[in-house]
Amino acid sequence: MNEIFEFIKNYIHIISPVISLLVILIFFALAYRKRRQKMRKYNGYNNEIKELRGKYKKAKILTSNEAKHSQAVLNVARKKGLNVSYKVRMLDVVVPKDSSDYALLNKVMKKHFDFVLTNKEHDVVLVIELDDSSHNSQSALDRDAVKNTILKDVHIPLLRTRNITEKAILDLLR
């Protein structure tokens, strides 16, 4: 046993750097392994991203009918100092009192409003729905009934029309 201690004592100047080097090499090997695991995960994500290429196209925010009627909305908004938002998700205007009630969340999550007018404090003062021929089906009428009921319940005025006019908007804002 004394021989081992004597050997270490005589060669400590060589053994110490070797042990330090081994510790450093182990540290870098572990770090490299962790980095490779992250890269594998990132590359998998990258492949998912690549699969999305070429599968989408730009959409217009407003239909041609909505664009045609948007000027009346913008004119009133300027006169009254209001903000106009287009295609606002219903869930951004009204939320269930119980946010854990998924049935209520689903009723408003996938619906939108054509135009939403807000004041300077960003409170909704009027919602405008432009009803074209697509609103004639029973399913559309059912969706419209949900919107009508909820907006009435939270006291947000709704203009539902086939032809947006400045007069109609101003009448509801009074």
Short mmCIF file of all heavy atoms in Angstrom, two decimals, residues 93-137:
data_model
loop_
_atom_site.label_atom_id
_atom_site.label_comp_id
_atom_site.label_asym_id
_atom_site.label_seq_id
_atom_site.Cartn_x
_atom_site.Cartn_y
_atom_site.Cartn_z
N VAL A 93 -64.27 39.27 -28.00
CA VAL A 93 -65.27 40.29 -27.65
C VAL A 93 -66.06 39.88 -26.41
O VAL A 93 -66.36 40.71 -25.55
CB VAL A 93 -66.23 40.54 -28.84
CG1 VAL A 93 -67.36 41.50 -28.47
CG2 VAL A 93 -65.45 41.07 -30.04
N VAL A 94 -66.39 38.61 -26.31
CA VAL A 94 -67.13 38.08 -25.15
C VAL A 94 -66.45 36.80 -24.66
O VAL A 94 -65.96 36.02 -25.47
CB VAL A 94 -68.61 37.79 -25.49
CG1 VAL A 94 -69.35 39.06 -25.83
CG2 VAL A 94 -68.74 36.79 -26.62
N VAL A 95 -66.43 36.64 -23.36
CA VAL A 95 -65.85 35.43 -22.76
C VAL A 95 -66.83 34.85 -21.76
O VAL A 95 -67.56 35.59 -21.10
CB VAL A 95 -64.50 35.71 -22.07
CG1 VAL A 95 -63.43 36.09 -23.07
CG2 VAL A 95 -64.64 36.77 -21.01
N PRO A 96 -66.85 33.52 -21.63
CA PRO A 96 -67.73 32.93 -20.62
C PRO A 96 -67.32 33.36 -19.22
O PRO A 96 -66.13 33.55 -18.94
CB PRO A 96 -67.51 31.42 -20.80
CG PRO A 96 -66.89 31.25 -22.13
CD PRO A 96 -66.15 32.51 -22.41
N LYS A 97 -68.29 33.53 -18.36
CA LYS A 97 -67.98 33.88 -16.96
C LYS A 97 -67.16 32.78 -16.31
O LYS A 97 -66.27 33.07 -15.52
CB LYS A 97 -69.27 34.12 -16.18
CG LYS A 97 -69.97 35.39 -16.58
CD LYS A 97 -71.25 35.60 -15.79
CE LYS A 97 -71.94 36.89 -16.26
NZ LYS A 97 -73.22 37.08 -15.58
N ASP A 98 -67.44 31.54 -16.67
CA ASP A 98 -66.68 30.40 -16.18
C ASP A 98 -65.76 29.95 -17.31
O ASP A 98 -66.18 29.25 -18.23
CB ASP A 98 -67.62 29.27 -15.76
CG ASP A 98 -66.88 28.02 -15.29
OD1 ASP A 98 -65.63 28.04 -15.23
OD2 ASP A 98 -67.56 27.02 -14.99
N SER A 99 -64.50 30.35 -17.24
CA SER A 99 -63.57 30.07 -18.34
C SER A 99 -63.23 28.59 -18.47
O SER A 99 -62.63 28.18 -19.46
CB SER A 99 -62.29 30.88 -18.17
OG SER A 99 -61.65 30.51 -16.96
N SER A 100 -63.62 27.78 -17.51
CA SER A 100 -63.36 26.34 -17.62
C SER A 100 -64.52 25.60 -18.28
O SER A 100 -64.45 24.40 -18.48
CB SER A 100 -63.08 25.75 -16.23
OG SER A 100 -64.24 25.84 -15.42
N ASP A 101 -65.58 26.33 -18.63
CA ASP A 101 -66.73 25.71 -19.29
C ASP A 101 -66.47 25.64 -20.79
O ASP A 101 -66.71 26.58 -21.54
CB ASP A 101 -68.00 26.52 -19.00
CG ASP A 101 -69.26 25.83 -19.47
OD1 ASP A 101 -69.18 25.02 -20.43
OD2 ASP A 101 -70.33 26.09 -18.89
N TYR A 102 -65.95 24.49 -21.23
CA TYR A 102 -65.53 24.34 -22.62
C TYR A 102 -66.71 24.37 -23.59
O TYR A 102 -66.54 24.76 -24.74
CB TYR A 102 -64.70 23.07 -22.80
CG TYR A 102 -63.38 23.19 -22.09
CD1 TYR A 102 -63.12 22.48 -20.92
CD2 TYR A 102 -62.40 24.04 -22.56
CE1 TYR A 102 -61.91 22.62 -20.26
CE2 TYR A 102 -61.18 24.19 -21.92
CZ TYR A 102 -60.94 23.47 -20.76
OH TYR A 102 -59.75 23.62 -20.12
N ALA A 103 -67.88 23.98 -23.15
CA ALA A 103 -69.05 24.03 -24.03
C ALA A 103 -69.36 25.49 -24.38
O ALA A 103 -69.64 25.82 -25.54
CB ALA A 103 -70.25 23.38 -23.36
N LEU A 104 -69.26 26.38 -23.39
CA LEU A 104 -69.49 27.81 -23.65
C LEU A 104 -68.36 28.40 -24.48
O LEU A 104 -68.60 29.23 -25.37
CB LEU A 104 -69.64 28.58 -22.34
CG LEU A 104 -70.91 28.29 -21.53
CD1 LEU A 104 -70.90 29.05 -20.21
CD2 LEU A 104 -72.16 28.62 -22.34
N LEU A 105 -67.13 28.00 -24.20
CA LEU A 105 -65.99 28.48 -24.99
C LEU A 105 -66.15 28.09 -26.46
O LEU A 105 -65.91 28.90 -27.36
CB LEU A 105 -64.69 27.89 -24.46
CG LEU A 105 -64.04 28.61 -23.29
CD1 LEU A 105 -62.90 27.78 -22.72
CD2 LEU A 105 -63.55 29.98 -23.69
N ASN A 106 -66.57 26.86 -26.71
CA ASN A 106 -66.73 26.39 -28.09
C ASN A 106 -67.81 27.16 -28.84
O ASN A 106 -67.74 27.28 -30.05
CB ASN A 106 -67.03 24.89 -28.11
CG ASN A 106 -65.78 24.08 -27.84
OD1 ASN A 106 -64.67 24.51 -28.13
ND2 ASN A 106 -65.96 22.91 -27.27
N LYS A 107 -68.80 27.68 -28.15
CA LYS A 107 -69.86 28.44 -28.81
C LYS A 107 -69.33 29.74 -29.43
O LYS A 107 -69.90 30.25 -30.37
CB LYS A 107 -70.98 28.77 -27.83
CG LYS A 107 -71.76 27.56 -27.38
CD LYS A 107 -73.23 27.86 -27.39
CE LYS A 107 -74.05 26.68 -26.96
NZ LYS A 107 -74.25 25.68 -27.98
N VAL A 108 -68.25 30.28 -28.88
CA VAL A 108 -67.74 31.56 -29.37
C VAL A 108 -66.34 31.49 -29.98
O VAL A 108 -65.89 32.44 -30.61
CB VAL A 108 -67.74 32.62 -28.23
CG1 VAL A 108 -69.13 32.89 -27.74
CG2 VAL A 108 -66.85 32.21 -27.07
N MET A 109 -65.67 30.37 -29.82
CA MET A 109 -64.28 30.28 -30.23
C MET A 109 -64.09 30.36 -31.75
O MET A 109 -63.17 31.01 -32.22
CB MET A 109 -63.66 28.99 -29.70
CG MET A 109 -62.16 28.97 -29.81
SD MET A 109 -61.41 27.51 -29.07
CE MET A 109 -62.04 27.55 -27.42
N LYS A 110 -64.94 29.73 -32.52
CA LYS A 110 -64.72 29.65 -33.96
C LYS A 110 -65.60 30.59 -34.76
O LYS A 110 -65.68 30.49 -35.97
CB LYS A 110 -64.94 28.21 -34.43
CG LYS A 110 -63.90 27.26 -33.87
CD LYS A 110 -64.10 25.86 -34.35
CE LYS A 110 -63.06 24.94 -33.75
NZ LYS A 110 -63.27 23.56 -34.13
N LYS A 111 -66.23 31.53 -34.09
CA LYS A 111 -67.07 32.51 -34.78
C LYS A 111 -66.33 33.84 -34.80
O LYS A 111 -65.47 34.10 -33.97
CB LYS A 111 -68.40 32.65 -34.07
CG LYS A 111 -69.27 31.40 -34.13
CD LYS A 111 -70.53 31.58 -33.29
CE LYS A 111 -71.44 30.38 -33.37
NZ LYS A 111 -70.89 29.18 -32.80
N HIS A 112 -66.68 34.69 -35.75
CA HIS A 112 -66.09 36.02 -35.80
C HIS A 112 -67.16 37.04 -36.16
O HIS A 112 -68.24 36.70 -36.63
CB HIS A 112 -64.93 36.08 -36.80
CG HIS A 112 -65.38 36.09 -38.23
ND1 HIS A 112 -65.59 34.94 -38.95
CD2 HIS A 112 -65.70 37.11 -39.06
CE1 HIS A 112 -66.01 35.26 -40.15
NE2 HIS A 112 -66.09 36.57 -40.25
N PHE A 113 -66.83 38.30 -35.90
CA PHE A 113 -67.68 39.41 -36.30
C PHE A 113 -67.03 40.12 -37.47
O PHE A 113 -65.81 40.25 -37.52
CB PHE A 113 -67.87 40.40 -35.14
CG PHE A 113 -68.57 39.81 -33.94
CD1 PHE A 113 -67.95 39.73 -32.71
CD2 PHE A 113 -69.87 39.33 -34.05
CE1 PHE A 113 -68.59 39.20 -31.61
CE2 PHE A 113 -70.53 38.79 -32.95
CZ PHE A 113 -69.88 38.72 -31.73
N ASP A 114 -67.84 40.62 -38.40
CA ASP A 114 -67.30 41.29 -39.58
C ASP A 114 -66.59 42.60 -39.21
O ASP A 114 -65.46 42.83 -39.63
CB ASP A 114 -68.41 41.56 -40.59
CG ASP A 114 -69.01 40.26 -41.13
OD1 ASP A 114 -68.26 39.27 -41.26
OD2 ASP A 114 -70.21 40.25 -41.41
N PHE A 115 -67.26 43.44 -38.44
CA PHE A 115 -66.69 44.73 -38.03
C PHE A 115 -66.98 44.93 -36.54
O PHE A 115 -68.07 44.65 -36.07
CB PHE A 115 -67.33 45.89 -38.79
CG PHE A 115 -67.22 45.79 -40.28
CD1 PHE A 115 -68.25 45.26 -41.04
CD2 PHE A 115 -66.08 46.24 -40.94
CE1 PHE A 115 -68.16 45.17 -42.42
CE2 PHE A 115 -65.98 46.15 -42.33
CZ PHE A 115 -67.02 45.61 -43.07
N VAL A 116 -65.98 45.45 -35.82
CA VAL A 116 -66.16 45.79 -34.42
C VAL A 116 -65.64 47.21 -34.23
O VAL A 116 -64.52 47.53 -34.60
CB VAL A 116 -65.40 44.82 -33.48
CG1 VAL A 116 -65.48 45.28 -32.04
CG2 VAL A 116 -65.96 43.41 -33.63
N LEU A 117 -66.51 48.07 -33.68
CA LEU A 117 -66.11 49.45 -33.38
C LEU A 117 -65.83 49.56 -31.89
O LEU A 117 -66.62 49.09 -31.06
CB LEU A 117 -67.22 50.43 -33.77
CG LEU A 117 -67.26 50.83 -35.25
CD1 LEU A 117 -67.77 49.70 -36.09
CD2 LEU A 117 -68.10 52.06 -35.45
N THR A 118 -64.68 50.17 -31.57
CA THR A 118 -64.29 50.34 -30.17
C THR A 118 -63.96 51.81 -29.91
O THR A 118 -63.58 52.55 -30.83
CB THR A 118 -63.05 49.49 -29.82
OG1 THR A 118 -61.98 49.84 -30.69
CG2 THR A 118 -63.36 48.01 -29.95
N ASN A 119 -64.10 52.20 -28.64
CA ASN A 119 -63.75 53.57 -28.26
C ASN A 119 -62.26 53.65 -27.95
O ASN A 119 -61.52 52.67 -28.13
CB ASN A 119 -64.62 54.04 -27.09
CG ASN A 119 -64.44 53.19 -25.84
OD1 ASN A 119 -63.45 52.47 -25.68
ND2 ASN A 119 -65.41 53.26 -24.95
N LYS A 120 -61.82 54.81 -27.47
CA LYS A 120 -60.38 55.02 -27.21
C LYS A 120 -59.85 54.08 -26.11
O LYS A 120 -58.66 53.79 -26.06
CB LYS A 120 -60.12 56.48 -26.79
CG LYS A 120 -60.47 57.48 -27.87
CD LYS A 120 -59.50 57.43 -29.01
CE LYS A 120 -59.81 58.52 -30.01
NZ LYS A 120 -59.55 58.15 -31.36
N GLU A 121 -60.76 53.63 -25.23
CA GLU A 121 -60.36 52.71 -24.17
C GLU A 121 -60.45 51.26 -24.63
O GLU A 121 -60.30 50.34 -23.84
CB GLU A 121 -61.24 52.90 -22.92
CG GLU A 121 -61.03 54.22 -22.20
CD GLU A 121 -61.70 55.41 -22.91
OE1 GLU A 121 -62.79 55.22 -23.50
OE2 GLU A 121 -61.12 56.50 -22.87
N HIS A 122 -60.75 51.06 -25.90
CA HIS A 122 -60.86 49.74 -26.53
C HIS A 122 -62.05 48.93 -26.03
O HIS A 122 -62.04 47.71 -26.09
CB HIS A 122 -59.56 48.95 -26.40
CG HIS A 122 -58.38 49.69 -26.93
ND1 HIS A 122 -58.18 49.88 -28.29
CD2 HIS A 122 -57.37 50.34 -26.30
CE1 HIS A 122 -57.09 50.60 -28.44
NE2 HIS A 122 -56.58 50.89 -27.27
N ASP A 123 -63.07 49.63 -25.54
CA ASP A 123 -64.32 48.97 -25.19
C ASP A 123 -65.15 48.84 -26.46
O ASP A 123 -65.23 49.79 -27.26
CB ASP A 123 -65.11 49.80 -24.16
CG ASP A 123 -64.35 49.98 -22.86
OD1 ASP A 123 -63.80 48.98 -22.37
OD2 ASP A 123 -64.32 51.12 -22.35
N VAL A 124 -65.79 47.70 -26.64
CA VAL A 124 -66.63 47.49 -27.82
C VAL A 124 -67.89 48.34 -27.68
O VAL A 124 -68.59 48.26 -26.68
CB VAL A 124 -67.00 46.00 -27.98
CG1 VAL A 124 -67.94 45.81 -29.15
CG2 VAL A 124 -65.74 45.17 -28.16
N VAL A 125 -68.15 49.18 -28.70
CA VAL A 125 -69.36 50.01 -28.67
C VAL A 125 -70.39 49.55 -29.70
O VAL A 125 -71.57 49.87 -29.57
CB VAL A 125 -69.04 51.51 -28.87
CG1 VAL A 125 -68.19 52.02 -27.71
CG2 VAL A 125 -68.34 51.77 -30.19
N LEU A 126 -69.94 48.80 -30.72
CA LEU A 126 -70.88 48.31 -31.73
C LEU A 126 -70.25 47.17 -32.51
O LEU A 126 -69.06 47.22 -32.86
CB LEU A 126 -71.27 49.44 -32.70
CG LEU A 126 -72.23 49.08 -33.84
CD1 LEU A 126 -73.60 48.69 -33.30
CD2 LEU A 126 -72.36 50.24 -34.82
N VAL A 127 -71.07 46.16 -32.80
CA VAL A 127 -70.66 45.06 -33.66
C VAL A 127 -71.52 45.12 -34.90
O VAL A 127 -72.74 45.34 -34.81
CB VAL A 127 -70.83 43.69 -32.95
CG1 VAL A 127 -70.66 42.55 -33.93
CG2 VAL A 127 -69.86 43.57 -31.79
N ILE A 128 -70.89 44.95 -36.06
CA ILE A 128 -71.64 44.99 -37.33
C ILE A 128 -71.45 43.66 -38.05
O ILE A 128 -70.32 43.20 -38.25
CB ILE A 128 -71.15 46.15 -38.23
CG1 ILE A 128 -71.32 47.48 -37.51
CG2 ILE A 128 -71.91 46.13 -39.56
CD1 ILE A 128 -70.68 48.65 -38.23
N GLU A 129 -72.56 43.06 -38.41
CA GLU A 129 -72.56 41.82 -39.18
C GLU A 129 -73.22 42.10 -40.52
O GLU A 129 -74.37 42.53 -40.58
CB GLU A 129 -73.36 40.74 -38.44
CG GLU A 129 -72.61 40.07 -37.32
CD GLU A 129 -71.56 39.12 -37.85
OE1 GLU A 129 -71.91 38.03 -38.34
OE2 GLU A 129 -70.37 39.49 -37.81
N LEU A 130 -72.48 41.89 -41.57
CA LEU A 130 -73.00 42.07 -42.92
C LEU A 130 -73.54 40.72 -43.40
O LEU A 130 -72.78 39.78 -43.63
CB LEU A 130 -71.89 42.56 -43.85
CG LEU A 130 -72.29 42.84 -45.29
CD1 LEU A 130 -73.38 43.91 -45.35
CD2 LEU A 130 -71.07 43.29 -46.09
N ASP A 131 -74.84 40.62 -43.49
CA ASP A 131 -75.48 39.37 -43.87
C ASP A 131 -75.67 39.31 -45.38
O ASP A 131 -76.45 40.05 -45.95
CB ASP A 131 -76.85 39.23 -43.18
CG ASP A 131 -76.72 39.01 -41.69
OD1 ASP A 131 -75.60 38.76 -41.22
OD2 ASP A 131 -77.75 39.10 -41.00
N ASP A 132 -74.93 38.41 -46.00
CA ASP A 132 -75.12 38.20 -47.44
C ASP A 132 -75.91 36.91 -47.63
O ASP A 132 -76.49 36.38 -46.68
CB ASP A 132 -73.78 38.18 -48.18
CG ASP A 132 -72.83 37.15 -47.60
OD1 ASP A 132 -73.29 36.25 -46.86
OD2 ASP A 132 -71.62 37.22 -47.89
N SER A 133 -75.93 36.39 -48.82
CA SER A 133 -76.73 35.20 -49.11
C SER A 133 -76.28 33.97 -48.31
O SER A 133 -77.06 33.05 -48.10
CB SER A 133 -76.70 34.90 -50.61
OG SER A 133 -75.37 34.67 -51.02
N SER A 134 -75.03 33.97 -47.84
CA SER A 134 -74.56 32.82 -47.07
C SER A 134 -75.27 32.71 -45.71
O SER A 134 -75.17 31.69 -45.04
CB SER A 134 -73.05 32.91 -46.86
OG SER A 134 -72.73 33.97 -45.98
N HIS A 135 -75.96 33.76 -45.32
CA HIS A 135 -76.68 33.75 -44.04
C HIS A 135 -78.09 33.20 -44.17
O HIS A 135 -78.87 33.27 -43.22
CB HIS A 135 -76.71 35.16 -43.44
CG HIS A 135 -75.38 35.59 -42.90
ND1 HIS A 135 -75.08 35.60 -41.56
CD2 HIS A 135 -74.26 36.01 -43.53
CE1 HIS A 135 -73.84 36.01 -41.39
NE2 HIS A 135 -73.32 36.27 -42.58
N ASN A 136 -78.44 32.66 -45.33
CA ASN A 136 -79.80 32.15 -45.53
C ASN A 136 -79.97 30.70 -45.09
O ASN A 136 -81.10 30.26 -44.89
CB ASN A 136 -80.19 32.27 -47.02
CG ASN A 136 -80.30 33.72 -47.44
OD1 ASN A 136 -80.50 34.61 -46.63
ND2 ASN A 136 -80.15 33.97 -48.74
N SER A 137 -78.89 29.96 -44.94
CA SER A 137 -79.01 28.55 -44.57
C SER A 137 -79.42 28.43 -43.09
O SER A 137 -79.18 29.34 -42.29
CB SER A 137 -77.70 27.81 -44.81
OG SER A 137 -76.74 28.21 -43.86
#
